[in-house]
mmCIF file of all heavy atoms in Angstrom:
data_model
loop_
_atom_site.group_PDB
_atom_site.id
_atom_site.type_symbol
_atom_site.label_atom_id
_atom_site.label_comp_id
_atom_site.label_asym_id
_atom_site.label_seq_id
_atom_site.Cartn_x
_atom_site.Cartn_y
_atom_site.Cartn_z
ATOM 1 N N ALA A 23 -4.921 6.790 7.489
ATOM 2 C CA ALA A 23 -3.519 6.416 7.658
ATOM 3 C C ALA A 23 -3.444 4.908 7.870
ATOM 4 O O ALA A 23 -4.258 4.347 8.587
ATOM 5 C CB ALA A 23 -2.937 7.139 8.860
ATOM 6 N N MET A 25 -2.482 1.670 9.582
ATOM 7 C CA MET A 25 -1.976 1.152 10.841
ATOM 8 C C MET A 25 -1.039 2.165 11.514
ATOM 9 O O MET A 25 0.164 1.988 11.526
ATOM 10 C CB MET A 25 -1.242 -0.160 10.601
ATOM 11 C CG MET A 25 -2.079 -1.218 9.955
ATOM 12 S SD MET A 25 -2.876 -2.410 11.016
ATOM 13 C CE MET A 25 -1.747 -2.743 12.280
ATOM 14 N N LEU A 28 2.065 1.027 13.496
ATOM 15 C CA LEU A 28 3.101 0.358 12.716
ATOM 16 C C LEU A 28 3.894 1.376 11.894
ATOM 17 O O LEU A 28 5.123 1.312 11.818
ATOM 18 C CB LEU A 28 2.485 -0.705 11.810
ATOM 19 C CG LEU A 28 3.463 -1.614 11.087
ATOM 20 C CD1 LEU A 28 4.310 -2.392 12.074
ATOM 21 C CD2 LEU A 28 2.711 -2.573 10.189
ATOM 22 N N ALA A 34 10.194 5.589 13.419
ATOM 23 C CA ALA A 34 11.102 5.655 14.566
ATOM 24 C C ALA A 34 12.337 4.780 14.310
ATOM 25 O O ALA A 34 13.459 5.180 14.614
ATOM 26 C CB ALA A 34 10.383 5.208 15.842
ATOM 27 N N GLY A 38 16.491 6.087 13.764
ATOM 28 C CA GLY A 38 17.613 5.669 14.600
ATOM 29 C C GLY A 38 18.561 4.701 13.938
ATOM 30 O O GLY A 38 19.608 4.365 14.500
ATOM 31 N N ASP A 72 17.635 -5.468 13.148
ATOM 32 C CA ASP A 72 17.006 -5.045 11.895
ATOM 33 C C ASP A 72 15.530 -4.761 12.156
ATOM 34 O O ASP A 72 15.017 -5.002 13.257
ATOM 35 C CB ASP A 72 17.209 -6.074 10.783
ATOM 36 C CG ASP A 72 16.539 -7.410 11.066
ATOM 37 O OD1 ASP A 72 15.745 -7.526 12.032
ATOM 38 O OD2 ASP A 72 16.804 -8.359 10.313
ATOM 39 N N ALA A 100 -0.341 -14.740 2.272
ATOM 40 C CA ALA A 100 -0.401 -15.531 1.034
ATOM 41 C C ALA A 100 0.323 -14.841 -0.122
ATOM 42 O O ALA A 100 0.791 -15.506 -1.045
ATOM 43 C CB ALA A 100 -1.856 -15.794 0.655
ATOM 44 N N MET A 107 3.315 -9.228 10.394
ATOM 45 C CA MET A 107 3.035 -8.053 9.566
ATOM 46 C C MET A 107 4.292 -7.433 8.983
ATOM 47 O O MET A 107 4.245 -6.338 8.440
ATOM 48 C CB MET A 107 2.220 -6.991 10.317
ATOM 49 C CG MET A 107 0.852 -7.474 10.713
ATOM 50 S SD MET A 107 -0.191 -6.201 11.422
ATOM 51 C CE MET A 107 0.678 -5.752 12.896
ATOM 52 N N ALA A 121 -3.524 -13.626 -12.596
ATOM 53 C CA ALA A 121 -3.474 -14.259 -13.920
ATOM 54 C C ALA A 121 -4.762 -15.033 -14.194
ATOM 55 O O ALA A 121 -5.269 -15.737 -13.315
ATOM 56 C CB ALA A 121 -2.274 -15.195 -14.008
ATOM 57 N N ASP A 143 -3.783 -1.806 -14.666
ATOM 58 C CA ASP A 143 -2.326 -1.804 -14.537
ATOM 59 C C ASP A 143 -1.968 -2.134 -13.090
ATOM 60 O O ASP A 143 -1.907 -1.250 -12.237
ATOM 61 C CB ASP A 143 -1.774 -0.439 -14.948
ATOM 62 C CG ASP A 143 -0.255 -0.403 -14.998
ATOM 63 O OD1 ASP A 143 0.403 -1.351 -14.506
ATOM 64 O OD2 ASP A 143 0.284 0.585 -15.522
ATOM 65 N N SER A 156 8.886 3.269 -0.415
ATOM 66 C CA SER A 156 9.960 2.304 -0.163
ATOM 67 C C SER A 156 10.187 1.359 -1.333
ATOM 68 O O SER A 156 11.168 0.635 -1.361
ATOM 69 C CB SER A 156 9.634 1.476 1.087
ATOM 70 O OG SER A 156 8.484 0.667 0.839
ATOM 71 N N GLU A 163 0.122 -0.612 4.185
ATOM 72 C CA GLU A 163 -0.236 -0.131 2.843
ATOM 73 C C GLU A 163 -1.194 -1.112 2.160
ATOM 74 O O GLU A 163 -2.146 -0.704 1.495
ATOM 75 C CB GLU A 163 1.028 0.053 2.005
ATOM 76 C CG GLU A 163 1.923 1.148 2.539
ATOM 77 C CD GLU A 163 3.331 1.123 1.978
ATOM 78 O OE1 GLU A 163 3.834 0.041 1.618
ATOM 79 O OE2 GLU A 163 3.926 2.210 1.914
ATOM 80 N N PRO A 182 -12.664 20.447 -26.300
ATOM 81 C CA PRO A 182 -13.764 20.822 -27.196
ATOM 82 C C PRO A 182 -13.202 21.230 -28.559
ATOM 83 O O PRO A 182 -12.129 21.812 -28.655
ATOM 84 C CB PRO A 182 -14.432 22.003 -26.492
ATOM 85 C CG PRO A 182 -13.428 22.494 -25.504
ATOM 86 C CD PRO A 182 -12.497 21.351 -25.203
ATOM 87 N N ALA A 197 -25.029 48.970 -56.345
ATOM 88 C CA ALA A 197 -26.248 49.678 -56.712
ATOM 89 C C ALA A 197 -26.159 50.075 -58.170
ATOM 90 O O ALA A 197 -25.117 50.455 -58.673
ATOM 91 C CB ALA A 197 -26.394 50.927 -55.857
#
Side-chain angles (χ1 to χ4, degrees):
M25 302 265 322
L28 188 61
D72 64 10
M107 297 187 297
D143 187 348
S156 66
E163 294 165 331

